[in-house]
Amino acid sequence: MKKVVVGMSGGVDSAVAAYLLKEAGYEVIGLFMRNWDSNINNDFLGNPNDFNDICPQEKDYNDALKVCEKLNIPLHRVDFIKEYWDYVFTYFLEELKKGRTPNPDLLCNKFIKFDLFIKEAKKLGADFVATGHYARTAGGRLLRAKDLNKDQTYFLADVNPGVFREVLFPVGDYTKPEIREIAKAQGLIVADKKDSTGICFIGERNYQEFIKNYLQPNPGDIIDVETGKAIGRHTGLMNYTIGQRRNVGISGDEERHYVCGKAVAKNILYIAFGDSKYLYSDECLLENVNFISDERPSFCTAKFRYRGEDHPVRLEYLENGEIKVKYDGLAKSVTPGQACVLYQGEECLGCGFIKEVFKDGQSLWYLK
């Protein structure tokens, strides 16, 4: 009997994943990861401003424990708190300092869930590991989930090549409503549990208040990109992302407006009103490229953000390992620091991180 170690998060998806694997005849073991602890993480910085840890990891652990008891499978627990800090959170902070918009979920999957977790699972004798991600695999290839509205391949595109040969995604062949129905039918306590959203280490906290514990705010001018006039004050460039509309902090909030750029050296936040040309680009440059497929196409599709649309693109491979991505048409709010994930049909090929954005050959990142 093959042994599978399942990453139990305390949510409905991993719970049903464990149930499906047990029904399929595997020996199933649960493993719960703890990646964040406010008190410990604060100690790394010499105890910055204290705040309560609202991220409900203990509740999640207790829910995972009840699920495992119901399914009659063992549950182990492992802490990756320091590793998460070293490999994920420090990267998150450094990207914010550069004025970029990082996505820590991709780094967490690369370094924690599909590296350190797998090593821990091997210690437990695992033949395979499994998670509750909405994705599918075939012969080591990463494929989109059946439920395209929940598909999570975007967040898995930076995982090291070859890893998916030993990973199972049991919920990838189901829709989210089907997963909840299975959980209800089996009497699992998490059947109606709300999905977690946002960044785990921030939880229900106010984002700007949380970031102030780690990065000193540096307020500056908000500039109307069309007129060049100052129209307000920002609270620090790390608090904003390209395409953001809400909570920008300018007068006349009833008029449709968006963050369209940052000049980090000048500490300026640029705002565009209406459907501005400054929100659109036709090309971007990718760095830190990671392919999980052997394919190196000239033409494919790309997602510039999770739940974003698929854009037909042309790829130009540069000698330094970077990739120029040229869109068939314009794309809105393509954001430095975010992942550009590449697809060939239903297969996820990999990703790169957006270094710079262009329109008509001109950089849109550091606006003059």
Side-chain angles (χ1 to χ4, degrees):
M1 182 183 295
K2 294 290 186 179
K3 184 181 294 185
V4 182
V5 173
V6 182
M8 301 297 294
S9 67
V12 65
D13 298 322
S14 60
V16 173
Y19 164 75
L20 292 171
L21 289 167
K22 187 173 183 183
E23 286 295 293
Y26 291 99
E27 179 186 351
V28 179
I29 297 173
L31 181 58
F32 180 88
M33 290 175 283
R34 191 166 71 118
N35 297 331
W36 184 263
D37 183 284
S38 291
N39 293 324
I40 294 176
N41 290 131
N42 285 352
D43 286 341
F44 290 155
L45 285 184
N47 288 313
N49 298 333
D50 192 29
F51 52 88
N52 293 325
D53 185 8
I54 306 173
C55 192
Q57 290 192 83
E58 285 307 310
K59 183 181 186 309
D60 288 339
Y61 174 74
N62 289 331
D63 287 344
L65 187 59
K66 291 174 183 176
V67 166
C68 288
E69 290 171 350
K70 177 74 174 178
L71 297 177
N72 193 28
I73 62 176
L75 179 64
H76 298 263
R77 179 170 176 157
V78 62
D79 281 354
F80 293 131
I81 296 168
K82 185 180 186 304
E83 294 84 353
Y84 190 92
W85 176 274
D86 290 342
Y87 299 130
V88 180
F89 192 65
T90 54
Y91 165 86
F92 176 79
L93 294 179
E94 289 303 314
E95 287 289 277
L96 289 179
K97 290 177 185 177
K98 296 174 185 176
R100 290 155 57 114
T101 302
N103 194 321
D105 290 338
L106 279 91
L107 274 295
C108 180
N109 283 328
K110 182 183 184 76
F111 293 112
I112 308 298
K113 294 181 181 177
F114 293 93
D115 185 6
L116 294 175
F117 177 86
I118 290 177
K119 292 173 182 175
E120 197 69 25
K122 294 292 187 183
K123 294 178 185 177
L124 297 173
D127 296 296
F128 299 98
V129 298
T131 70
H133 284 93
Y134 283 83
R136 296 178 297 129
T137 60
R141 298 184 302 138
L142 179 64
L143 307 177
R144 301 186 206 238
K146 173 184 175 181
D147 189 341
L148 293 179
N149 186 53
K150 297 295 294 183
D151 175 64
Q152 293 175 301
T153 53
Y154 180 92
F155 298 113
L156 300 170
D158 198 38
V159 169
N160 292 322
V163 167
F164 294 118
R165 295 187 180 278
E166 52 188 5
V167 174
L168 304 175
F169 295 119
V171 305
D173 290 312
Y174 296 84
T175 65
K176 184 72 178 197
E178 289 171 338
I179 291 299
R180 289 203 181 276
E181 285 302 315
I182 292 172
K184 290 177 183 177
Q186 298 306 314
L188 301 181
I189 190 173
V190 293
D192 294 314
K193 186 175 181 178
K194 183 180 177 182
D195 291 341
S196 60
T197 58
I199 302 171
C200 177
F201 53 74
I202 294 178
E204 299 300 323
R205 305 181 186 95
N206 176 278
Y207 173 84
Q208 293 192 19
E209 290 300 314
F210 173 82
I211 292 299
K212 282 197 299 187
N213 287 279
Y214 302 93
L215 297 178
Q216 184 66 36
N218 185 22
D221 285 333
I222 300 175
I223 300 292
D224 182 338
V225 70
E226 297 284 355
T227 66
K229 295 181 179 179
I231 56 175
R233 296 281 289 175
H234 65 75
T235 58
L237 294 179
M238 71 267 195
N239 295 321
Y240 306 88
T241 186
I242 306 302
Q244 179 177 334
R245 180 185 176 189
R246 300 182 184 279
N247 301 317
V248 175
I250 62 173
S251 59
D253 271 3
E254 70 282 353
E255 187 174 359
R256 193 158 57 99
H257 59 274
Y258 301 89
V259 174
C260 68
K262 305 176 185 180
V264 177
K266 300 176 182 178
N267 196 29
I268 292 174
L269 184 74
Y270 288 97
I271 298 293
F273 288 86
D275 201 31
S276 171
K277 64 181 180 180
Y278 290 102
L279 292 167
Y280 291 88
S281 61
D282 56 22
E283 181 182 330
C284 66
L285 182 64
L286 305 185
E287 62 182 353
N288 301 322
V289 175
N290 178 71
F291 276 100
I292 53 179
S293 168
D294 294 331
E295 299 293 326
R296 299 293 185 274
S298 298
F299 300 91
C300 62
T301 61
K303 281 182 180 291
F304 300 113
R305 63 184 63 221
Y306 180 54
R307 296 191 185 280
E309 62 181 298
D310 280 63
H311 289 268
V313 296
R314 291 169 288 136
L315 305 182
E316 180 182 343
Y317 299 88
L318 306 182
E319 291 184 359
N320 63 359
E322 296 179 345
I323 296 179
K324 281 187 179 180
V325 180
K326 300 181 180 181
Y327 331 146
D328 183 10
L330 299 176
K332 188 175 183 179
S333 301
V334 177
T335 306
Q338 289 282 287
C340 171
V341 178
L342 306 174
Y343 293 88
Q344 191 79 281
E346 67 175 356
E347 182 179 3
C348 179
L349 305 178
C351 72
F353 291 86
I354 300 166
K355 179 179 181 180
E356 201 164 0
V357 180
F358 303 88
K359 185 180 179 185
D360 298 327
Q362 183 177 3
S363 173
L364 292 183
W365 182 223
Y366 294 105
L367 294 173
K368 304 298 182 184

